[in-house]
Amino acid sequence: MIKPRPLRPGACVRLVAPASPFDPARLADGVRVLTDLGLAPIWTERVLQREGYLAGPDGLRALELAAALTDGTADAVVAIRGGYGVMRLLDVLEPRRDDLKPALVMGFSDLTALHPFLAAGAPRVTFHGPNVLGMARLDADSRARLGAALSGTDWEATFAWGGLRTVRGGAARGRLLAGNLSMLCAMMGTRYAAALDGTILVVEDVHEPAYR
């Protein structure tokens, strides 16, 4: 597995908007969480574009995401929000696969489409974690856990969770795969479907109608 380097103080974090648009007024609150962690977030005015239910046209969102993942200038690439639209960009990223840099990539919800894409071929470790807009809503413990995860601090404690209830006992060992259930289902049958064999699957989805 290709693993990203832990983020150190001053690390450059590239913020991208590959999915749905967002309220620009909320961006500052999420950025403040990253700067409080000692990181240096950067973004361009392009992220503020809006085209219907997307954060700008497919072509421009794809160019932005491809640049973030291949130009090597950022230590991390973090999505501003999820929503919808990332799966539409994978065909554009596919020819650039060999140019991908080992930056730390983090996001959840619609960013689920990107995680199995990056795990295919030369497998890369990515982070199923908060998008920028959600960071401001994290409680103190979750913010501390986020900072520890990004900096590679005390990983055994950081990635443990003591509040789970066991439905069936036992032990398992495998590659950890986390994602949004709706997105994992939508990708089934495509060449970008997540490889589930031998994985421990962590599912993220709440308040969804059963038919989805």
Side-chain angles (χ1 to χ4, degrees):
M1 300 291 286
I2 298 174
K3 299 180 181 180
R5 295 180 182 277
L7 301 185
R8 300 299 180 223
C12 176
V13 180
R14 176 88 174 261
L15 309 187
V16 294
S20 293
F22 59 92
D23 179 1
R26 295 179 55 201
L27 181 58
D29 292 335
V31 167
R32 192 174 302 113
V33 175
L34 292 170
T35 56
D36 286 347
L37 292 175
L39 305 174
I42 62 170
W43 64 95
T44 70
E45 291 297 307
R46 199 233 59 79
V47 302
L48 302 177
Q49 289 182 309
R50 179 184 292 265
E51 185 173 273
Y53 52 81
L54 299 167
D58 282 359
L60 294 182
R61 296 190 345 271
L63 286 175
E64 175 187 64
L65 184 57
L69 295 172
T70 61
D71 66 13
T73 60
D75 300 294
V77 177
V78 181
I80 294 175
R81 73 156 292 184
Y84 175 79
V86 177
M87 194 159 59
R88 297 161 64 121
L89 311 183
L90 299 185
D91 283 342
V92 178
L93 292 178
E94 180 64 38
R96 307 286 302 275
R97 186 181 288 279
D98 292 341
D99 300 326
L100 298 176
K101 307 300 182 187
L104 189 155
V105 176
M106 185 171 72
F108 81 110
S109 182
D110 197 57
L111 274 294
T112 292
L114 191 58
H115 293 304
F117 174 86
L118 295 175
R124 297 167 184 273
V125 172
T126 58
F127 282 56
H128 179 272
N131 298 322
V132 177
L133 293 191
M135 292 179 182
R137 298 196 298 267
L138 297 176
D139 58 32
D141 287 344
S142 297
R143 289 193 190 191
R145 187 186 296 267
L146 171 64
L150 296 178
S151 64
T153 304
D154 192 14
W155 65 269
E156 288 185 326
T158 299
F159 294 101
W161 185 272
L164 299 182
R165 180 175 60 87
T166 301
V167 176
R168 177 176 297 179
R173 183 180 182 89
R175 180 173 60 87
L176 189 65
L177 174 68
N180 177 280
L181 180 59
S182 297
M183 287 302 304
L184 291 171
C185 291
M187 296 171 73
M188 290 292 185
T190 75
R191 61 176 170 166
Y192 302 120
L196 300 178
D197 288 349
T199 64
I200 298 174
L201 180 62
V202 179
V203 171
E204 162 242 320
D205 236 351
V206 294
H207 308 309
E208 287 283 6
Y211 73 86
R212 292 185 181 175

